[in-house]
Amino acid sequence: MIWNRERYIAHSLFEDTGREMFCELFGPLHALEAEWRRQGATEQEIGMTAFDWDYVPVIGLAGSTGARTGIRPQILEDTPELTLAVDHMGRHTRLIKKSATIALPEDHPVVTPDDWERVKHWYTFTEDRVNREALLAQKKHWEQGRLTILGMPGAFDEPRQLMGEAELCIACYEEPEMLHNMLETFADTAVKVIERVGDIVPIDCLTVHEDMAGKSGPLFGPAQIQEFFKPYYTKVWKAAQAHGAKLFSQDSDGDMSPILGDLLDCGLNCIHPIEPVGGNDMVELRKKYGKKLCFKGGIDKHALVKGKEAVKKELEYRLAPHLFGGGTIFGLDHRIPNGVHIDTYRYYVNLGREMLGLDPVSGEGWARMAF
């Protein structure tokens, strides 16, 4: 079912809209498509349009808050096994095709505070970050019920792109002034973009990508969230709220549970994909945080690899009654893994719909809900 912006926002803010929401956040891993074709899947199933997933049509607003480097990416070497390239930040990257879909940088543009001063202009505000003509056209889509979203650089993710994970964590202690200056620069630009965008089109949802955790927990603890995240998140979120925003949504894999309370203190009110294998349990987290935090995802994707009995057990646990009635957008906690049989996936879809009280599949369509 296609949701409109008003109903989606209401559902996310714990209003009972009379229906649960069942989505596919990301879709299948690339190699799974070939597996499914061999197993007899239709092209509509492979493209996710056969399963009648819930989604809200989205407009990514025409305002840029991130790095504008002027560097043109280029491929240095491309073979069946790997791709070597230079990316938009000038980093040399390596993609091992057998085991990964995302290229990893082998160097970074910022090592010292002088390096940051050299690239700081990538993030400073200029009026051409806002496309007013495009925004006027986007306002008509907003009026027709599409959800408007605007992204901000991550407080962890963007410095990590500039420095690397280890160097960023060390910088919290050895170069905190540089890190504060980065975040102040990001915030200044984001606020100016938000003000100009919001004067033309209301902003429904502020989004941020972090991916700052693994199975052992987040790479920043509560102290770092309070020192670095909170001033930055709070400033940008207040600007977004002043221009209509109701949702502040974070994308972060891994176990975020140790810092969720601190992130709520920063204004966050929606998070995905809530990976169980990473240590997150939305059934228990809802008991802890109540109606303060909307969850998207939360169903263990690995259960589908194990077969139908594992799927049934997983759904019987995750689709808990106290998660119904708003505040939960049920779905797998990331991409559908390789090794999931198409028959098992069909079973997951049909059983999930039945347990959520939804009509049988009608093949209405699909769109990613990863925002």
Side-chain angles (χ1 to χ4, degrees):
M1 174 181 143
I2 302 175
W3 292 53
N4 62 31
R5 53 176 296 277
E6 292 87 355
R7 190 175 189 182
Y8 174 77
I9 292 170
H11 184 86
S12 299
L13 295 178
F14 293 87
E15 294 183 30
D16 190 344
T17 61
R19 188 185 188 282
E20 298 307 319
M21 194 167 193
F22 195 27
C23 75
E24 181 62 66
L25 291 179
F26 295 92
L29 285 171
H30 180 69
L32 184 62
E33 296 180 4
E35 291 183 42
W36 279 5
R37 285 192 179 92
R38 291 193 295 269
Q39 293 163 5
T42 67
E43 289 304 308
Q44 289 74 26
E45 288 175 321
I46 292 166
M48 293 282 104
T49 60
F51 300 108
D52 201 18
W53 289 119
D54 291 327
Y55 66 94
V56 57
V58 170
I59 306 167
L61 291 171
S64 171
T65 61
R68 290 162 46 115
T69 70
I71 299 172
R72 179 176 295 181
Q74 57 178 310
I75 303 296
L76 302 178
E77 181 180 346
D78 193 21
T79 72
E81 290 76 33
L82 82 160
T83 299
L84 303 178
V86 175
D87 70 6
H88 73 292
M89 286 186 169
R91 303 176 302 186
H92 291 83
T93 66
R94 178 183 297 266
L95 172 62
I96 307 298
K97 297 179 180 179
K98 182 179 179 180
S99 57
T101 57
I102 299 175
L104 295 179
E106 299 186 318
D107 49 32
H108 294 86
V110 174
V111 178
T112 68
D114 287 342
D115 294 328
W116 161 240
E117 291 298 327
R118 179 176 53 82
V119 302
K120 184 176 179 178
H121 68 278
W122 291 354
Y123 297 94
T124 53
F125 177 77
T126 54
E127 292 291 344
D128 63 352
R129 284 179 173 269
V130 178
N131 186 331
R132 297 177 181 276
E133 184 177 348
L135 287 167
L136 289 170
Q138 290 178 334
K139 185 176 182 180
K140 297 177 182 178
H141 293 293
W142 177 83
E143 292 168 345
Q144 294 167 359
R146 290 178 177 264
L147 186 84
T148 55
I149 65 174
L150 186 69
M152 60 184 276
F156 182 92
D157 183 57
E158 196 66 25
R160 180 246 309 276
Q161 301 301 329
L162 291 168
M163 306 174 65
E165 289 178 347
E167 290 76 9
L168 169 57
C169 292
I170 293 169
C172 290
Y173 300 96
E174 295 190 353
E175 299 291 351
E177 296 86 358
M178 178 181 68
L179 185 51
H180 280 297
N181 189 256
M182 285 183 180
L183 297 175
E184 289 164 3
T185 303
F186 301 164
D188 179 70
T189 294
V191 167
K192 289 176 179 176
V193 170
I194 286 169
E195 291 171 346
R196 286 155 177 79
V197 168
D199 283 345
I200 301 173
V201 189
I203 301 165
D204 293 322
C205 179
L206 177 66
T207 68
V208 64
H209 178 270
E210 295 293 2
D211 271 4
M212 56 180 290
K215 292 181 180 180
S216 60
L219 291 172
F220 271 16
Q224 288 73 39
I225 300 300
Q226 291 296 323
E227 179 178 356
F228 299 108
F229 271 57
K230 188 173 182 179
Y232 173 48
Y233 270 34
T234 301
K235 183 176 182 178
V236 180
W237 174 231
K238 285 183 177 179
Q241 285 181 298
H243 290 84
K246 301 293 192 298
L247 304 177
F248 185 5
S249 180
Q250 184 190 88
D251 175 354
S252 193
D253 299 341
D255 183 9
M256 295 291 285
S257 60
I259 56 172
L260 285 182
D262 298 282
L263 291 171
L264 285 171
D265 193 36
C266 299
L268 200 75
N269 62 10
C270 187
I271 191 167
H272 68 279
I274 315 294
E275 292 184 298
V277 73
N280 303 286
D281 183 343
M282 67 180 178
V283 176
E284 293 301 318
L285 290 173
R286 174 56 47 78
K287 295 175 184 177
K288 182 175 182 178
Y289 294 110
K291 295 185 177 182
K292 296 178 181 179
L293 186 61
C294 174
F295 301 132
K296 292 198 295 184
I299 300 172
D300 188 358
K301 58 189 172 291
H302 297 294
L304 277 68
V305 180
K306 300 173 184 177
K308 295 179 181 179
E309 285 302 314
V311 168
K312 182 179 180 182
K313 183 177 180 181
E314 175 69 10
L315 290 178
E316 287 175 343
Y317 177 67
R318 303 291 175 194
L319 306 191
H322 69 281
L323 290 169
F324 288 20
T328 310
I329 300 163
F330 295 97
L332 294 183
D333 62 327
H334 218 287
R335 288 189 177 274
I336 309 163
N338 298 331
V340 174
H341 198 284
I342 185 59
D343 285 342
T344 304
Y345 189 76
R346 292 168 182 150
Y347 176 80
Y348 158 72
V349 174
N350 292 327
L351 181 59
R353 295 183 70 84
E354 178 184 339
M355 294 175 66
L356 291 171
L358 307 181
D359 293 334
V361 168
S362 64
E364 188 172 67
W366 174 69
R368 285 169 60 104
M369 289 286 291
F371 56 82

